[in-house]
């Protein structure tokens, strides 16, 4: 039995199907109107923009040394109504960082998770969901029998996860476990600095010249990119201190210490070469800047060299040609 309304064939002419011209699309559902509102006011990102006592167009501000984002991001911030100085100077992805201090060492929560062997989400849940203090969350230790293995060193006995967060520990819990499995002496396994680390930016401390800080902090302190430091350490199997010396850096020839390089200024006192690691959220923002030292001015200019006396003998005069003979 055939259906009274057989399905239409798109290849058949509409007039042969009994449909009048112009009615073949009448049965389709109309597309709903877009009712979304654009939050951007792009006119705010056009024309001259005034900030830090100067007036430039957006493309010129994007090339300014004080600008921390690219041109598109700067336009978007201005179109969203950001204050021009904040839109220019605030670093991208700026957000609160979970940092905790324990045993005289400050690291991010991710760094402490890598250091202690405790899973990041486990550590987060203990602090945020269970309401435990950071010390209590660390003291509970990592899960797994290998991390609860007791180790005796320096006259004390405690689990591997506790030794990893001890002030004397210079390696992570996983490195400590591997060293103990290889037969290292416990004291040496705890205090010896690894030759290289593969977790750039995790917050694990690197030790050099009597100081301990993360690799990103070492990069900011020495003005040597952190990636170059890690590459040098891994490729040549050297410590951080040796890598820094290979780049020609040491505390004795550093221009200033990290504390001396950081200063707080208002927007009116920013310099084009200032690096801005932080900005306060006040109505009148205060900028924490790292200001590189100005290159030393030349004390004296070299005078143009006097021409050297010639050692060549003077050229002999050209022989005079005889007077022409007139013919009669």
């Amino acid at each position: 039995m055939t259906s009274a309304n057989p399905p239409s064939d798109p290849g058949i002419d509409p007039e042969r199907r009994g449909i009048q011209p112009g009615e073949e699309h009448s049965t389709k559902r109309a597309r709903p109107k877009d009712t979304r509102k654009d939050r951007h006011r792009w006119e705010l990102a056009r024309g001259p923009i005034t900030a830090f006592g100067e007036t430039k167009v957006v493309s010129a501000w994007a090339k300014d040394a004080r600008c921390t984002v690219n041109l598109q991001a700067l336009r978007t911030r201005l179109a969203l109504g950001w204050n021009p100085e904040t839109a220019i100077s605030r670093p991208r992805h700026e957000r609160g960082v979970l940092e905790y201090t324990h045993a005289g060492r400050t690291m991010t929560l991710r760094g402490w998770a890598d250091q202690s062997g405790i899973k990041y989400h486990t550590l987060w849940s203990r602090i945020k969901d269970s309401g435990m203090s950071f010390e209590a969350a660390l003291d509970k230790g990592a899960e797994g029998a290998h991390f609860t293995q007791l180790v005796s060193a320096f006259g004390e006995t405690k689990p591997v996860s506790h030794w990893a967060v001890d002030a004397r520990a210079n390696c992570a819990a996983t490195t400590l476990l591997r060293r103990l499995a290889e037969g290292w002496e416990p004291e040496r396994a705890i205090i010896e600095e690894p030759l290289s680390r593969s977790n750039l930016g995790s917050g694990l401390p690197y030790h050099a010249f009597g100081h301990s800080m993360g690799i990103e902090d070492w990069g900011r302190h020495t003005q040597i990119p952190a990636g170059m430091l890690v590459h040098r350490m891994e490729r040549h199997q050297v410590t951080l201190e040796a890598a820094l010396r290979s780049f020609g850096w040491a505390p004795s020839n550093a221009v200033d210490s990290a504390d001396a390089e950081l200063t707080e200024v208002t927007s009116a006192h920013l310099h084009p070469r200032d690096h801005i690691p932080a900005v306060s959220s006040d109505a009148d923002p205060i900028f924490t800047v790292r200001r590189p030292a100005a290159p030393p001015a030349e004390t004296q200019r070299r005078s143009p060299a006097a021409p050297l006396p010639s050692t060549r003998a003077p050229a002999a005069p050209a022989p005079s040609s005889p007077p022409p003979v007139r013919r009669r």
Side-chain angles (χ1 to χ4, degrees):
M1 184 175 182
T2 61
S3 172
N5 297 318
S8 61
D9 187 353
I12 300 178
D13 188 359
E15 293 184 0
R16 295 179 59 187
R17 301 201 308 263
I19 301 176
Q20 298 298 324
E23 296 181 356
E24 58 270 16
H25 299 294
S26 61
T27 58
K28 290 184 178 181
R29 181 177 299 177
R31 179 177 295 176
K33 186 178 180 180
D34 189 0
T35 58
R36 295 177 298 179
K37 294 182 179 180
D38 189 1
R39 299 183 301 134
H40 301 81
R41 296 174 56 192
W42 295 106
E43 65 274 10
L44 297 177
R46 301 188 186 101
I49 305 297
T50 301
F52 310 117
E54 304 175 39
T55 301
K56 306 179 187 179
V57 296
V58 179
S59 58
W61 276 118
K63 298 176 182 178
D64 193 279
R66 291 163 288 188
C67 186
T68 58
V69 293
N70 57 26
L71 175 60
Q72 185 58 41
L74 180 58
R75 282 177 174 164
T76 302
R77 288 180 173 186
L78 293 171
L80 289 173
W82 283 42
N83 177 275
E85 295 181 0
T86 305
I88 293 168
S89 59
R90 177 170 292 180
R92 202 167 186 169
H93 306 303
E94 185 182 78
R95 53 188 176 187
V97 178
L98 292 176
E99 290 187 342
Y100 297 91
T101 301
H102 176 73
R105 183 183 300 172
T106 300
M107 290 192 291
T108 62
L109 190 64
R110 176 73 65 182
W112 282 113
D114 295 338
Q115 182 74 15
S116 64
I118 305 173
K119 294 180 180 179
Y120 175 81
H121 293 290
T122 301
L123 201 55
W124 167 272
S125 178
R126 290 176 183 177
I127 298 171
K128 298 298 181 180
D129 298 338
S130 303
M132 300 174 65
S133 65
F134 179 69
E135 287 73 13
L138 282 181
D139 190 63
K140 193 173 181 179
E143 299 174 352
H146 47 296
F147 286 111
T148 58
Q149 172 186 342
L150 296 178
V151 177
S152 297
F154 307 108
E156 305 175 44
T157 300
K158 44 188 180 180
V160 169
S161 60
H162 288 188
W163 276 119
V165 297
D166 190 274
R168 292 161 287 189
N170 291 325
C171 65
T174 52
T175 303
L176 179 56
L177 281 171
R178 177 179 55 79
R179 289 176 173 180
L180 294 173
E182 292 174 355
W184 286 41
E185 292 293 331
E187 288 83 359
R188 180 184 168 218
I190 292 169
I191 66 173
E192 186 160 325
E193 172 76 17
L195 291 177
S196 64
R197 300 180 188 267
S198 59
N199 40 13
L200 174 61
S202 67
L204 293 178
Y206 286 74
H207 302 271
F209 304 106
H211 297 281
S212 176
M213 64 180 85
I215 190 64
E216 297 288 354
D217 294 323
W218 275 112
R220 285 188 289 268
H221 178 58
T222 61
Q223 303 298 317
I224 301 173
M228 292 180 62
L229 292 174
V230 172
H231 176 74
R232 183 66 58 90
M233 289 188 291
E234 292 181 349
R235 181 172 183 178
H236 300 284
Q237 294 295 302
V238 296
T239 62
L240 174 62
E241 186 167 327
L244 290 172
R245 290 187 183 278
S246 70
F247 282 108
W249 190 94
S252 58
N253 59 22
V255 176
D256 288 312
S257 64
D259 294 337
E261 290 176 346
L262 290 176
T263 183
E264 292 184 347
V265 298
T266 60
S267 58
H269 297 86
L270 285 173
H271 291 181
R273 298 177 62 203
D274 286 347
H275 173 69
I276 305 174
V279 183
S280 68
S281 57
D282 302 332
D284 187 11
I286 300 297
F287 298 85
T288 302
V289 301
R290 178 174 286 107
R291 183 165 295 168
E298 287 187 332
T299 56
Q300 59 180 0
R301 296 183 179 275
R302 297 174 59 185
S303 60
L308 296 175
S310 176
T311 57
R312 297 176 59 186
S320 59
S321 58
V325 178
R326 296 179 64 181
R327 294 182 179 181
R328 294 182 179 180

